[in-house]
Every structure is written in C-alpha cells, then in structure tokens.
Amino acid sequence: MNLLYKSTRSADRKVTASEAILKGLAEDGGLFVPESVPKLDVSMEDLKNRSYQETAYAVMKQFLTDFTEEELKHCISSAYDDKFDTEVIAPLVKVGDTYHLELFHGATIAFKDMALSILPHLLTTAAKKNNVTKEIVILAATSGDTGKAALAGFADVPGTKIIVFYPKGGVSRVQELQMITQKGDNTAVVAIHGNFDNAQSGVKALFEDKELEKRLDGAGYQFSSANSINIGRLVPQVAYYVYAYAKLLENGEIEDGEEINVAVPTGNFGNILAAYYAKQMGVPIAKLICASNENKVLFDFFRTGVYDRNRDFILTSSPSMDILISSNLERLIYTVAGQDSGKNAELMRQLKEKGTYEITPDMKEKLADFVGGFATEEETREAIHDTYERTGYVMDTHTAVASYVCADYRKRSGDSRKCLVVSTASPYKFARSVMTAIDPGYEGMDELALIDELHKVSGMAVPAAIEEIRKADIRHTRECDADRMEETVREILGV
Ligand SMILES: *Cc1c(COP(=O)(O)O)cnc(C)c1O
C-alpha cells in the first residue's frame, strides 16, 4: 500500500514520501504529515534480536513506501556504519532506576546524527526517483546540534550545497567550533545576530519566498530542509523508540506488552513527536514526558492549552532546547484537531500574528498522553551532580533536564512504570556546564582543559569529534543580521 503525505495547512494535494522529503516544507507553509501513522507489521518478540539497522528498516519501510527495499536498505547501511563509535548504534544503559537511551554515538555526538546521517542518502535517492536535475541547496537553522550534524552529513555530497545559520553567542563553544571548522567545498556557515527563533523563522521565510525561488530556479538550484520540519528527519527517529523497547524486552527488563514511559528533552518537538508516532505504530508507550528547560512554553501549553511565545528568550546551559516556537508541535496540533487543516492553519496564523493561540477543550483532551515538565538551571545542575554522586554516570545538560523531569513526575504522580530517558548529547559537548555542575571548583578552567577533567571523572573515551576540533582550522567566519538572511544566501550562491 502506498502511504501518501499531505500538508498540515491544506487538504487539496497529496505527495509521495520521496516528494515530501525533497520539498521539506509544503508550499502553503505547512508541514508534511502521513495520511495515517502506519502500524508495525512485526511483533516486538520478532524484533528483539534484531540489529539497529534491521529495526530501522522494519520501521522506515512502513513510512517511506515509494522507496524500494534495495534503496532503503542501502540508505540505512550507508548511514548506520562505523561513523558511530558503537556497533549497537543506540546503546541502552541502566542508570539507577531508569534506562538511558544513548543517542550520541554518531559523528557529531548529539542525537541529531540519528536522522542526519541518513537524510542525505534519503534525499539523493528521492532526487533520482523524481528526476530532479537541479542542485539541492539545504538550508538549516540550528540551535547548535542540527547544524553540525547536517554539515557532516551533506559535506561533499554531489548535487548538494548546504547553508547553516546559528545564533551568535547562543551555542556552546564546542558546538560553535564544530561548525566553523567544517570541511567540504559545498558547505557554508553563518552566525546571525539574533536567537534560534529568528534563525528558524528566517529560514522558513526563505522557503516561502516565491521571488527567490524563481531566481534559484534560473540558476539551477532548489531548496530543501534539514530541519526536523522535514519528514525525512522524523521517520528515522521513530526507529530508536522501537529498538529501545525491543532491547528492554530482550534484556528481560520488561514483559512483552508492558507499558513504559519515555522522557524526552524537548526543543523543536521533533524527537518527542517521533515517540508519539512510535506509540501509534504499536509500541506500548504510556506517557510521553515532554521535558523543557526554563524556556517552558511547552510545559505551559500542556497545562493550560494556551501556546504563548510572548516571553523572554532565556539562554540556558541546554542551548539546543532554547526555543520558543516549537515547529513540530504543528503536526500534533493538526492531529488533535482531527486532521482539520483549516483549523490548524488558523491557529498557526494566530501564532505568527499574535504569538499565541488557544486550543479547544476537545483538542486538549486528546493530549492526555503527554505530560509537560521543566527543570530550572539549578535543578539541571542538581540532576547532573546527584546522578554522578549516586551512580558515577555523567550526563549532559539536555539529558539532565529530562532526567530531572522524569524523576519529578514519578514522585508527584506515583506512576511507577519503567522510564526511558532519551539521552541526546555527549557530556563532552557541554563540558563546562557538566563539570561545574559536578564541582563548582572547575569554574576557572578553559573548555579544552575541562574535557580532560571530564575524561578523568567519567572514564568515557574522548570522542573523535572532540579530538578533531582541537587541531582543526577555522574555515567559516561569515556573520549577518537576522533580517539579512536572504541577501546572505544570494551572496553565497551567487544569484
Ligand atoms: C535538538 C536537541 C534537543 C531537542 O530536540 P527536538 O527534537 O528539537 O525537540 C535536545 N537535546 C539536544 C542535545 C539536541 O541537540
């Protein structure tokens, strides 16, 4: 059966999976969603001894139905190979009474690698399928991790160029160094004077700019997106929830069919939406615990039904979650509106114009599977410190937010189901915040010295991604104002 995709903002046109991946964003500014979420066609019992790659295939073939078996398997084996520093790709580690799903073993040591190491393969396959002859220009806004993962994925991929925008001063030093040292003749990195929301809104505006599209067309280019608005990023992420459940079963930690909760450190709402899709595919997930940092728009939304981005943007120690406009929430809104694209489009118009909208009580009721929570900076530090003291396990700031919220939810609700904490970045990526949480005495040390200290206290090998930036040359120094992104793109492409 062929699964088609439609926009969250209009009902008229349906596209294939490969077309949706190529376009990134629908023409009306909406996001592509599958007409319905497919069910898994294998049992957990069957999945439990399978490799990550086999599980990914079992999941992705259900969503990407216009890819052949050969194409999809080729994409999967090219993505999930020795770029990951562990054969299992996504290890499950028991920490105290929770299970950490470590998604940071790829080339850029954040969970974005799970999707961005396969997206370039999906995209180039989709281009061939649809007889695209133009060069594809990937535009990405990043709160720190997408940028590097996308750059690494697309560097020197024939037929593509990639331009990444990040907020100057809004990412960690390691994140910035990883991006500005990126090699590859087709890569460009731009620091914007603004925050992540400015970068993301700017990129969306470029996608919707018809004038620019004509110019690009004339020069033989077309845009696509590497942000999680692209369905080609979301689908690969569903796989690791299925994989994690099967591994819990294989390890005898749960019984077949036993419900678990998942706690996800959330920014743009992509990762947790993938968990929601996994649940709809048939994975026994009870609660989806949406963990925010002090930018707690989503916590307020789940509590009140009002989404309100009119508030101060706070720079925290978990910068990849410093976001006030969570793009992928639109896919959930559309779903709980009963797939009513008109209703969703109206709410998104209010968000754009007034910065706020309210859902109906009926829609709110359908969000009962979600639990919102947040951790303050102090609580995040506490979580890192206490977990280290209790277990010796060192986690990064983003994971710490989820770990805190998970424990807090357990205490308050009495819900004793087993909980999967989604571990989204290596602590090495945020060495300063992590080490000073463990001991404020590390305050005065520089970032690279802290990396050595982190190695001493954790015993974890220093990832290759960190060794690289120690000696790499800086190759990208471009900056621009948030309202000059269009000119910057034209300059880079020469159009
Ligand atoms: C991107 C990111 C997040 C947030 O994920 P979303 O899918 O945007 O909600 C959390 N932690 C880390 C380390 C990230 O890079």
Side-chain angles (χ1 to χ4, degrees), residues 238-260:
V238 180
Y240 49 72
Y241 289 101
V242 177
Y243 179 75
Y245 190 90
K247 288 299 136 184
L248 284 171
L249 191 59
E250 184 182 338
N251 298 344
E253 301 289 346
I254 53 171
E255 311 266 326
D256 196 9
E258 181 177 338
E259 284 189 328
I260 61 167

Side-chain angles (χ1 to χ4, degrees), residues 169-445:
V171 300
S172 84
R173 183 63 185 151
V174 170
Q175 287 178 314
E176 181 169 52
L177 280 171
Q178 280 188 302
M179 288 188 278
I180 63 180
T181 57
Q182 177 65 46
K183 297 198 182 93
D185 291 338
N186 63 339
T187 63
V189 178
V190 185
I192 69 152
H193 307 141
N195 61 35
F196 171 73
D197 286 329
N198 302 134
Q200 176 156 267
S201 305
V203 165
K204 275 195 173 174
L206 293 175
F207 275 108
E208 290 167 42
D209 186 336
K210 297 282 175 250
E211 198 50 44
L212 182 62
E213 189 181 331
K214 251 188 253 146
R215 256 179 211 276
L216 286 172
D217 194 61
Y221 292 122
Q222 75 180 54
F223 282 146
S224 188
S225 166
N227 282 105
S228 53
I229 53 178
N230 193 320
I231 196 76
R233 269 208 42 201
L234 219 46
V235 168
Q237 292 182 186
V238 180
Y240 49 72
Y241 289 101
V242 177
Y243 179 75
Y245 190 90
K247 288 299 136 184
L248 284 171
L249 191 59
E250 184 182 338
N251 298 344
E253 301 289 346
I254 53 171
E255 311 266 326
D256 196 9
E258 181 177 338
E259 284 189 328
I260 61 167
N261 295 331
V262 300
V264 187
T266 297
N268 228 353
F269 211 76
N271 201 352
I272 195 164
L273 190 75
Y276 181 62
Y277 282 178
K279 178 177 167 122
Q280 288 175 294
M281 284 194 98
V283 181
I285 295 171
K287 295 292 179 190
L288 300 141
I289 303 171
C290 174
S292 300
N293 63 25
E294 289 179 1
N295 295 292
K296 59 181 183 58
V297 190
L298 289 165
F299 167 77
D300 293 335
F301 170 71
F302 285 117
R303 205 167 42 92
T304 63
V306 176
Y307 194 94
D308 187 1
R309 70 164 191 92
N310 299 312
R311 61 182 78 203
D312 289 337
F313 186 103
I314 302 169
L315 293 175
T316 72
S317 60
S318 45
S320 302
M321 294 155 66
D322 290 346
I323 291 175
L324 294 178
I325 309 172
S326 296
S327 291
N328 276 294
L329 187 67
E330 176 168 349
R331 289 187 164 109
L332 181 63
I333 298 293
Y334 171 81
T335 306
V336 299
Q339 305 211 338
D340 183 335
S341 53
K343 204 165 173 181
N344 173 66
E346 170 54 23
L347 295 175
M348 294 306 130
R349 191 186 61 75
Q350 291 175 23
L351 178 64
K352 190 162 185 186
E353 286 171 12
K354 300 187 297 173
T356 179
Y357 62 82
E358 178 166 14
I359 59 171
T360 62
D362 190 41
M363 289 166 73
K364 186 159 185 286
E365 219 165 88
K366 296 195 188 129
L367 295 175
D369 291 341
F370 287 87
V371 179
F374 73 100
T376 63
E377 287 292 275
E378 186 52 40
E379 287 160 347
T380 306
R381 277 193 291 272
E382 225 175 81
I384 294 171
H385 180 92
D386 294 355
T387 301
Y388 174 66
E389 291 291 321
R390 254 185 319 112
T391 67
Y393 186 77
V394 179
M395 58 187 169
D396 100 287
T397 46
H398 303 74
T399 308
V401 168
S403 167
Y404 176 86
V405 169
C406 176
D408 185 55
Y409 164 72
R410 238 187 205 179
K411 241 189 309 184
R412 281 186 298 103
S413 66
D415 181 343
S416 62
R417 278 180 280 236
K418 307 221 163 77
C419 191
L420 189 72
V421 172
V422 179
S423 188
T424 50
S426 161
Y428 281 103
K429 210 158 186 175
F430 304 94
R432 170 168 306 284
S433 302
V434 169
M435 290 309 288
T436 53
I438 288 175
D439 183 349
Y442 288 113
E443 206 71 65
M445 268 193 202

Side-chain angles (χ1 to χ4, degrees), residues 139-153:
L139 290 184
T142 183
S143 55
D145 291 328
T146 289
K148 178 62 188 186
L151 287 161

